[in-house]
Amino acid sequence: MTIIVVVFALVYLGMALGTAPYVKIDRTGIALLGAIVLVSGGWITEKAAWDSINTETMALLLGLMILSSQMQLSGAYQVLTKQITHFNIGPAGLLGAVVGLAGMLAAFLTNDVIALAVAPVLIHVCIERRLNPLPFLLALCCAVNAGSALTLIGSPQSMLIGQALDLDFIRFIGATIVPTLVAFGTIWGIIVWLYRGQWDAPAGTDQTNGNGVELNRFGAIKGMVVLAIVLVMFVFTKMPRELVALSAGGLLLVNRHYTTRNLLKEVDWQLLMLFIGLFVVNAAFQSTGLPHQAVDEMSKMGIDLRKPMWLFAATAVISDLFSNVPAVMLLLPYAEGEEAGVAMALGSTLASNLIIFGSLANIIVIDSAARRGIKISFWQHARVGAPITIISLAFAGLWLWLT
């Protein structure tokens, strides 16, 4: 038990820090190393380790990642983003268009993918219009996180919650749409207020060529048609979502324009490996019985994680400490029913805007900006992210309590 607890603690410390001292190992490597230690040392059996992996969630993620690869390679994301340059609107209106477009795309094609695809194009749009890219990139970070709360396929942790609790796709949207829209409005309002009078591009800003992806009309249409079919299947049939997503991915692998290698190159294998490692580490920790004892003791003090409101608060706090996917995996065993699932999804996604390391989407946008000479500091992000997070979480908590 001692070894399991130590490994679990070190893995979650690594999730919080993002790396380990003196070695170049990231969160995925830390999670996998923890799982390897536990299996190799016999502290969890090979069968128990394999059984701990939620294959339904992994299949759903893989299928949707292949679908997103099709959209990415065809240039569909880039064209959608560039369309907003044709709107005859001012900076505040353009900011609203970015929040709405990025947020809604993230709701159906996952937040990390949209952050990766839209960031370079958005920088290009800002430079063309001689606008300061900073508020628009911060809006992108926050919008994809908030938008991912809308559906069961908006983020990896929402997929995990939906699969584990067998949540209904449409009922989930009905429960999350109001907090999501309020979060969109909050993002727009906070950034417009903080960046009033700072819309013009800084002097000396160089031109950029975007990301160089041209539109393949047939490929883009094919991707959107397959996405529409997937959503219809999710809504109107009882067919397991993971089989729908895998079937869609398999269909897109039969492709005249893109090789299998290129489609699979866009898949986030790092994230899939992170899931596997965390599944094993959490299963070993659950087997000690310590988590259940801790929950029982907390319940005696009035903090009952089996109640949605407490679960919402705990998920939000732990998501900012250890990132949202590890937080959800840790707390999911105590979630029961639709209300708990909605609470966890809202808490984990809306809390992601507080600090840069709250979600991978934030890091993706900031790294993309840095490669183009645009620096977004921790404090610049927190100055925007903190009020947005506090307001959106407060409203979501009130919404959950009232409904």
Side-chain angles (χ1 to χ4, degrees), residues 2 8 22 52 87 93 108 114 132 166 185 198 209 213 225 239 256 280 293 303 345 403:
T2 302
F8 172 84
Y22 309 115
S52 72
F87 297 161
F108 296 99
I114 301 306
N132 180 5
D166 193 25
Q198 302 176 50
N209 294 320
V213 178
V225 168
M239 187 174 178
R256 293 184 60 186
V280 175
Q293 293 176 27
I303 303 173
T403 57

Side-chain angles (χ1 to χ4, degrees), residues 169-373:
F169 197 82
I170 289 297
R171 284 176 60 86
F172 184 87
I173 293 176
T176 58
I177 187 168
V178 173
T180 301
L181 293 177
V182 169
F184 286 168
T186 302
I187 293 165
W188 180 84
I190 292 291
I191 294 178
V192 166
W193 181 64
L194 289 175
Y195 281 89
R196 61 194 185 281
Q198 302 176 50
W199 295 112
D200 294 335
T205 304
D206 296 328
Q207 291 289 330
T208 179
N209 294 320
N211 63 353
V213 178
E214 295 183 0
L215 176 67
N216 180 316
R217 193 177 300 275
F218 178 80
I221 292 173
K222 180 181 179 181
M224 288 187 283
V225 168
V226 172
L227 173 61
I229 293 171
V230 166
L231 294 177
V232 168
M233 296 289 284
F234 283 174
V235 173
F236 296 107
T237 75
K238 294 296 183 182
M239 187 174 178
R241 284 191 287 267
E242 67 275 10
L243 296 184
V244 173
L246 271 183
S247 299
L251 177 64
L252 292 173
L253 289 176
V254 183
N255 205 304
R256 293 184 60 186
H257 297 280
Y258 311 114
T259 64
T260 301
R261 179 181 295 274
N262 284 337
L263 279 169
L264 294 182
K265 189 165 62 176
E266 300 295 325
V267 170
D268 191 348
W269 298 105
Q270 287 276 104
L271 179 62
L272 294 175
M273 293 299 102
L274 174 69
F275 265 65
I276 289 174
L278 288 176
F279 276 132
V280 175
V281 171
N282 278 289
F285 187 54
Q286 290 288 337
S287 70
T288 65
L290 292 176
H292 294 290
Q293 293 176 27
V295 170
D296 290 340
E297 290 299 318
M298 291 170 64
S299 181
K300 293 176 183 177
M301 296 185 291
I303 303 173
D304 191 353
L305 293 183
R306 296 180 179 88
K307 293 182 178 179
M309 289 306 299
W310 281 114
L311 196 57
F312 169 76
T315 305
V317 171
I318 297 176
S319 290
D320 276 320
L321 292 175
F322 304 115
S323 191
N324 40 33
V325 169
V328 166
M329 286 194 177
L330 181 64
L331 296 173
L332 195 54
Y334 312 106
E336 298 176 1
E338 181 180 299
E339 291 180 359
V342 171
M344 291 192 72
L346 287 173
S348 62
T349 50
L350 297 180
S352 301
N353 286 325
L354 182 63
I355 56 176
I356 286 176
F357 304 109
S359 83
L360 181 58
N362 297 339
I363 298 171
I364 288 170
V365 172
I366 287 164
D367 284 351
S368 182
R371 288 195 296 271
R372 290 159 179 83

Side-chain angles (χ1 to χ4, degrees), residues 85-114:
T85 63
H86 302 307
F87 297 161
N88 187 22
I89 52 178
L94 182 61
L95 186 79
V98 169
V99 171
L101 175 65
M104 294 310 296
L105 284 174
F108 296 99
L109 290 159
T110 74
N111 52 353
D112 299 343
V113 170
I114 301 306

